[in-house]
Amino acid sequence: DTAVSQTPKYLVTQMGNDKSIKCEQNLGHDTMYWYKQDSKKFLKIMFSYNNKELIINETVPNRFSPKSPDKAHLNLHINSLELGDSAVYFCASSPSGQAAFFGQGTRLTVV
Amino acid sequence: ELKVEQNPLFLSMQEGKNYTIYCNYSTTSDRLYWYRQDPGKSLESLFVLLSNGAVKQEGRLMASLDTKARLSTLHITAAVHDLSATYFCAVADSSGTYKYIFGTGTRLKVLA
């Protein structure tokens, strides 16, 4: 009965590769997010979708492309991975105006 | 642009002591959240503060919000080792875009 689930949990890949991270929530929330947490634990919002519509698109390289096939899913595709993309990526969901529920994170390591 | 600052960044304290973590933010907002993150784990929601003067308490933690001062505090009473974690505040952008801006985090270590 996981609320927000991300796959994979760990991802090790070489520079230049393309990879995807999947996220699903079973809470019925309207809004979903992608956050990036760097090695210093800073959390930065990347994208937000509300009812499948993109509403927040922060200053993120266009190698990062989110896709929301339906309200319960928000995937993140990354092209041409770079060393600086190494981080933990968190998916989250929330009902409007309420606290967000976070997935367990995907630790991406680019070598 | 909304900016959120926390202090201290690191906090090492003895069990049984009290301390306060501060969260300042730069523009108007009426929604503030506190989260806890254990090492290698996800973020867990602790408190939701939705109005000026709001105070919430859970066990040894108490959070408050002063929207006029743009300040929230997380007070720890009689700390225990189990409270060791990183604590984040997050402030909702008032533009209605459902955007949460996180503070820098406070890494708390409670020493036995």
Side-chain angles (χ1 to χ4, degrees):
Chain A
D1 59 343
T2 305
V4 182
S5 60
Q6 292 177 231
T7 53
K9 191 172 180 183
Y10 300 97
L11 188 50
V12 181
T13 188
Q14 290 189 325
M15 277 196 305
N17 283 351
D18 304 338
K19 289 294 177 186
S20 291
I21 307 171
K22 295 188 175 184
C23 179
E24 177 181 3
Q25 55 102 357
N26 62 5
L27 299 166
H29 292 164
D30 291 334
T31 310
M32 295 186 73
Y33 309 83
W34 280 109
Y35 279 87
K36 178 180 179 181
Q37 186 171 44
D38 64 22
S39 58
K40 294 182 179 176
K41 306 293 184 191
F42 294 144
L43 274 157
K44 189 167 165 40
I45 189 165
M46 300 173 69
F47 302 104
S48 175
Y49 273 74
N50 185 255
N51 278 317
K52 301 194 301 174
E53 183 184 341
L54 180 66
I55 55 169
I56 296 171
N57 184 351
E58 290 295 287
T59 310
V60 175
N62 57 16
R63 298 182 294 103
F64 290 78
S65 53
K67 277 195 173 52
S68 181
D70 56 58
K71 205 171 84 162
H73 296 84
L74 179 60
N75 304 322
L76 183 65
H77 188 75
I78 316 168
N79 289 328
S80 304
L81 277 154
E82 300 176 358
L83 292 177
D85 297 332
S86 296
V88 180
Y89 292 85
F90 284 100
C91 175
S93 73
S94 73
S96 299
Q98 300 302 311
F101 288 74
F102 282 77
Q104 77 273 33
T106 296
R107 183 174 294 274
L108 171 65
T109 304
V110 182
V111 297
Chain B
E1 183 188 338
L2 175 59
K3 292 191 188 307
V4 183
E5 291 184 352
Q6 277 180 245
N7 67 83
L9 293 183
F10 298 96
L11 177 54
S12 182
M13 56 192 295
Q14 296 286 333
E15 275 194 330
K17 297 293 187 185
N18 304 333
Y19 209 83
T20 300
I21 299 170
Y22 297 89
C23 174
N24 289 91
Y25 53 99
S26 61
T27 65
T28 303
S29 176
D30 57 3
R31 284 179 286 136
L32 190 139
Y33 310 84
W34 283 96
Y35 289 88
R36 168 182 171 144
Q37 186 180 34
D38 291 302
K41 302 290 186 184
S42 184
L43 284 87
E44 174 193 352
S45 175
L46 294 174
F47 300 109
V48 179
L49 302 168
L50 297 177
S51 60
N52 187 40
V55 177
K56 296 275 183 78
Q57 182 161 7
E58 179 75 32
R60 300 174 188 274
L61 300 178
M62 183 172 73
S64 65
L65 177 62
D66 180 343
T67 57
K68 291 177 183 174
R70 298 177 187 163
L71 170 68
S72 179
T73 60
L74 181 66
H75 187 72
I76 303 154
T77 302
V80 292
H81 180 70
D82 285 352
L83 289 179
S84 298
T86 299
Y87 293 86
F88 292 93
C89 64
V91 180
D93 186 290
S94 59
S95 65
T97 57
Y98 312 108
K99 184 173 167 179
Y100 302 92
I101 304 298
F102 277 77
T104 47
T106 296
R107 203 170 300 186
L108 171 65
K109 188 170 183 179
V110 181
L111 306 170

